[in-house]
Amino acid sequence: MPIATHDNGSFWFDSLESLPEPEKPSSLPRATDVAIIGAGFTGLWTAYYLKQRRPDLSIAIFEAVTVGYGASGRNGGWCMGLAMGIEDLLAKPETRHVGIQVLRAMHETVDEVGRVCQAENIDCHYQKGGTLTVATLPFRAKRMRDRVERFHSMGFSKDDYRWLPASEAKRHINCASNYGASYTPHCAAIHPARLVKGLAERVRELGVAIHELTPVTNFEPGRIHTEVGSVDASIVLRATEGYTDSLSNQKRRVMPLYSMMVATEPLERGMWEEIGLTQRETFGDGRRVVTYGQRTLDNRIAFGGRGSYYFGSERKPRISPEDPMLDVVEQNLRDFFPILHDVEVTHRWGGLMGVSRHWRPSVLFDRHTGLGSAGGYVGEGVAASNLAGRTLSDLVTGENSDLARLPWVGDDPDRWEREPLRWAGAKAVKFFGDRADRKERDSNAPSRLWGGLFDRLVG
Ligand SMILES: Cc1cc2nc3c(=O)[nH]c(=O)nc-3n(C[C@H](O)[C@H](O)[C@H](O)COP(=O)(O)OP(=O)(O)OC[C@H]3O[C@@H](n4cnc5c(N)ncnc54)[C@H](O)[C@@H]3O)c2cc1C
């Protein structure tokens, strides 16, 4: 993995009070009980909960660049009570009860992140203002209302999911077109880099060693290999998400897909009186090529959209701020809030999401080999990585918990196809999603052809 710099180019890293230079270790310990590869949310939450349950374990995290360098320090900051794959479970009668169980676990996870931040004094600007999905087209209002009703029929209450008619929705968020919005309180806006750096500090205080600038090249049962040397470990946990291809024995396990973000300058109070978002509700508009935004604590808008895939799973350390895909995201933001036409966009960056072949996350642990992993969250891993970390630590410690029986445990995906099939598939998903969104915008009706193709590939 090329290491150009330890700064990941995001607004979040730029807004940290200080960004200390990571230090490359000259030597590594010969052995540790648990070796974790990757210091993003997944690796750090796993270490955190493992240390809570088993303070006697020696744990070392090996990070190629610096804490939070990956998606965890670049994302949209939606700590959301949903994860990829749950809606599929809910859609089928035979898996609905499991879907409900996982969804409730995700709701609780949003509170768990808030609880730990408070208990550990991690000031990550956590505010549980919920999330608004705005119907920017009239036909989507019906689709979203139906979805809210489906949740109610499954036993969720109006305190979990609520339809806001246009007049009420506009009081929450005054955007270009607003035909109503679905609202759930199960989402908190956070500053992701403050969370990931704060969590790393607490984990270090608990006695976990974090070795930065230490790329792992390969691993096997009982041992990891780095450029500095090998380390024995009876348990090896992979938490490398969109960068998994950097490990020579993990090729084609996770597809790296870019998501792109922009952030504005801080907006004046008058503008916020127009826009709303008084509770820092996160917001999106429910189109297929996902858009997502949050009001930051310092009154900017951080806004993103799904980006692209590069042939051969190429991973760029940083996306150039001049990248044309960022122009599209910036334009989407200005279309969403026309009041922003003269506002300066101060930051433009991208980051890697990890997509597994079945398009849902999994948590894996093999007691016999001591090997485990968690990830494949696509763009929904901020809270899910906490649940995954708790789950992985239960599996490692042999806890017979409800978490260890969640359906993502042992749900091992196939490897991705070889090129050029993988590239063609990724391009097709983006193409179908864009076509479906455009068709729906022009016709104000569901796009059965393009939308159906998109759903079939992603589902
Ligand atoms: C732009 C963007 C916006 C997003 N927005 C949201 C959102 O709003 N809400 C949400 O829920 N999710 C969002 N996501 C997804 C979410 O950020 C991720 O799912 C989550 O951060 C994954 O955490 P992780 O620790 O598994 O992976 P990462 O944070 O990517 O961490 C992996 C770490 O492993 C290290 N690493 C990789 N290979 C090696 C190696 N060989 N040796 C050592 N270290 C290695 C990397 O340097 C990296 O630090 C977004 C993602 C992106 C990119």
Side-chain angles (χ1 to χ4, degrees), residues 1 37-43 62-66 69-72 74-78 80 214-216 239-241 243 246-247 259-261 292 351-353 377-383:
M1 184 160 73
I37 310 169
F41 289 142
T42 302
F62 301 87
E63 164 55 51
V65 189
T66 187
Y69 176 78
S72 300
R74 309 185 190 214
N75 63 68
W78 287 38
M80 60 200 280
T214 308
V216 175
T240 47
E241 195 61 344
Y243 302 84
S246 62
L247 294 154
S259 194
M260 302 293 185
M261 291 205 69
Y292 50 92
L352 272 183
M353 305 179 298
Y377 314 103
V378 194
E380 303 184 353
V382 171

Side-chain angles (χ1 to χ4, degrees), residues 116-142:
V116 176
C117 289
Q118 195 164 31
E120 301 289 357
N121 209 11
I122 300 173
D123 179 11
C124 69
H125 303 170
Y126 179 101
Q127 186 169 347
K128 195 178 166 198
T131 200
L132 293 157
T133 309
V134 182
T136 50
L137 294 169
F139 92 91
R140 285 207 191 120
K142 164 141 181 34

Side-chain angles (χ1 to χ4, degrees), residues 211-223:
H211 304 287
E212 298 179 289
L213 296 179
T214 308
V216 175
T217 50
N218 196 0
F219 64 87
E220 65 211 29
R223 186 166 300 162

